[in-house]
Amino acid sequence: RKGEPRIIMAYDGDAAGRNAALKASKLLSASGFDGGVVLFEGGRDPADMVKEGRVEELGAMFRQPRPFIEFVLDTILGNYDLSNPRAKEQALQEATAYLKTLSPLMQEEYKRHLAARLGISQGLIRVGSQPVRTAAPAPAAAASHRDLWELSLIKTVLERPDVIDALLDFISPRMLRFHAREFELALQGDSGQPGLIEIVMDETIPVFADGDTLKSELVLFLRKYYEQRRQAVMRDPSIPSDKKYFLNRQILGKIAKLKKGELVGMED
């Protein structure tokens, strides 16, 4: 969001790469970012191209990416048999739904592109006076599972990867209730995933800006986690009473340290 960056995304040209490029292109274009997509198809690899002296060819690919919106529309249409009237109608509906996530100006500009690709009149493409939104709304069920604290932790890791080694002593993805997968990807440095891009771009998600803030936030989270863990242990009928007694004392020891503002390791 700083300045006006032009974002170029590069992916492998296989199905997984195309799918990731499609998701990220939808997100970035709906959020108003300029840029495009480069796909390395036919087994091409940027490192091999450099090694083979094809640097100019590689540079040309990055200088002329496929614009986000054009890439999304063409990818959507490519999933349908446009010689079939019913399939063409379905392609039009899906492409129009995507156009509605864009600004009014972009909607109008790319109506022409869509009409030309479908071989239809622009008058058949009706995006209407839809309110501009920065991303497609999440389903209600997914929205109910959005945990701001967990998202803040993930965003902190993405923007401050230097904290990862220290974090791993105290917290693991399995300890998160709603965003464990995103946290795991962030820890692995897989920041190109569309879900992680969305977290970074979401200005409503704060970052734990310094070490003291991160520590205090971790202490509060871990205290709540271990209190819930203790309750689960005590209620679990499958745990023998002697083991239950041992685990209870172990967890109580961690909670006591956390109440003093001390971080506790997972193995403590």
Side-chain angles (χ1 to χ4, degrees):
R1 293 285 185 185
K2 298 178 181 178
E4 296 181 356
R6 184 168 184 261
I7 301 172
I8 310 299
M9 300 187 302
Y11 288 93
D12 288 335
D14 57 12
R18 284 183 169 275
N19 187 49
L22 177 63
K23 291 179 180 178
S25 295
K26 286 181 176 180
L27 176 66
L28 290 167
S29 58
S31 298
F33 283 93
D34 182 31
V37 177
V38 173
L39 292 178
F40 287 92
E41 301 178 281
R44 285 189 294 184
D45 178 89
D48 290 340
M49 293 176 71
V50 172
K51 185 177 180 180
E52 295 165 4
R54 298 158 63 192
V55 178
E56 179 55 35
E57 180 185 347
L58 180 63
M61 292 176 68
F62 284 104
R63 287 192 297 271
Q64 299 176 331
R66 293 182 65 188
F68 291 138
I69 300 174
E70 180 182 313
F71 174 77
V72 172
L73 290 174
D74 290 348
T75 301
I76 289 173
L77 300 186
N79 292 329
Y80 294 90
D81 176 9
L82 299 183
S83 65
N84 182 313
R86 175 61 65 184
K88 180 183 285 190
E89 181 178 49
Q90 292 172 339
L92 173 60
Q93 291 173 351
E94 184 178 345
T96 300
Y98 164 65
L99 285 181
K100 289 179 180 180
T101 69
L102 307 177
S103 70
L105 178 61
M106 290 296 102
Q107 290 177 14
E108 200 61 31
E109 286 293 317
Y110 280 91
K111 277 172 62 175
R112 289 194 287 271
H113 177 82
L114 179 58
R117 288 282 282 107
L118 289 173
I120 61 175
S121 167
Q122 285 189 54
L124 293 176
I125 303 173
R126 300 177 181 176
V127 292
S129 54
Q130 300 292 326
V132 179
R133 55 182 184 266
T134 57
S144 66
H145 290 142
R146 174 185 164 93
D147 186 286
L148 187 59
W149 190 92
E150 293 184 8
L151 291 173
S152 291
L153 179 66
I154 294 166
K155 190 172 184 178
T156 299
V157 167
L158 292 170
E159 296 194 0
R160 299 178 54 206
D162 56 293
V163 305
I164 291 177
D165 288 343
L167 276 178
L168 291 176
D169 290 334
F170 310 110
I171 190 169
S172 71
R174 65 177 175 78
M175 297 170 76
L176 272 59
R177 294 182 61 194
F178 304 115
H179 304 287
R181 178 57 178 162
E182 292 95 326
F183 186 42
E184 184 176 9
L185 291 172
L187 291 173
Q188 294 170 357
D190 199 356
S191 57
Q193 290 289 330
L196 298 188
I197 295 173
E198 184 174 1
I199 291 171
V200 170
M201 294 194 332
D202 190 335
E203 295 178 352
T204 67
I205 302 173
V207 172
F208 302 142
D210 54 64
D212 290 340
T213 301
L214 180 58
K215 178 183 177 182
S216 62
E217 289 289 343
L218 273 177
V219 166
L220 290 173
F221 171 82
L222 292 172
R223 180 174 170 180
K224 180 179 179 181
Y225 170 81
Y226 285 115
E227 286 173 346
Q228 292 175 340
R229 174 66 181 151
R230 175 174 173 266
Q231 293 174 10
V233 166
M234 298 308 292
R235 289 195 301 263
D236 191 339
S238 67
I239 300 177
S241 57
D242 55 342
K243 185 175 181 181
K244 189 174 293 188
Y245 173 78
F246 170 78
L247 291 174
N248 182 53
R249 286 184 58 84
Q250 185 183 52
I251 296 172
L252 281 174
K254 290 187 176 185
I255 293 173
K257 289 183 178 181
L258 290 164
K259 286 182 176 179
K260 296 177 182 178
E262 301 175 20
L263 283 172
V264 294
M266 289 181 288
E267 304 303 323
D268 290 352

